[in-house]
Structure formats: structure tokens, C-alpha cells
């Protein structure tokens, strides 16, 4: 993820760390981890990771409100 996207992920409560294999692992309590590439060579991968973070967060919020 680029620096802008990394800051955005952190601002939304995600913890970003590099794995031993050089990928990025995004975690947030109560949600499954998201893995993505650490280079910006494919802008679609970055957008996809951000979309997955939002979907997971939205799903968790909906479950909290339903239960």
C-alpha cells in the first residue's frame, strides 16, 4: 500500500504490518486479516485491499447492530 493508503487504513482502525514474505497484513480486532502486496505496481491491488477493509468493517458493524 502506498503511504496515503496506509495512513487511510490506520485512520480507519487497521493495523498494518509487513509479513516475513514481504506482503502487508492488515488487522483489526474482531475481523479476519487482509493480506496484500506491498508494492504499488498494481494500483488495482491497493484499491481492492481498501475495498475489502471497508466491506469487512461494514459487515461487522451490521452484525453488531443486528444482534
Amino acid at each position: 500500500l502506498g503511504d496515503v493508503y496506509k495512513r487511510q487504513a490506520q485512520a480507519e482502525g487497521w493495523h498494518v504490518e509487513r509479513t516475513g514474505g514481504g506482503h502487508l497484513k492488515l488487522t483489526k480486532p474482531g475481523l479476519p486479516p487482509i493480506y496484500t502486496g506491498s508494492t504499488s505496481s498494481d494500483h488495482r491491488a491497493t484499491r481492492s485491499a481498501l475495498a475489502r477493509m471497508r466491506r469487512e468493517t461494514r459487515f461487522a458493524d451490521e452484525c453488531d447492530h443486528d444482534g
Side-chain angles (χ1 to χ4, degrees):
L1 291 171
D3 289 335
V4 172
Y5 294 114
K6 183 176 176 181
R7 284 193 300 270
Q8 183 177 350
Q10 291 170 330
E12 294 179 18
W14 291 84
H15 176 72
V16 182
E17 63 183 282
R18 190 172 302 276
T19 68
H23 289 83
L24 295 179
K25 179 181 178 183
L26 297 99
T27 56
K28 189 172 185 176
L31 299 176
I34 295 173
Y35 294 89
T36 189
S38 60
T39 65
S40 58
S41 61
D42 184 355
H43 70 279
R44 291 170 296 180
T46 298
R47 291 177 57 171
S48 177
L50 291 171
R52 284 184 287 168
M53 290 184 324
R54 289 190 186 107
R55 278 194 301 272
E56 291 293 343
T57 300
R58 187 171 53 245
F59 179 73
D61 288 346
E62 289 172 1
C63 288
D64 287 344
H65 289 78
D66 291 342

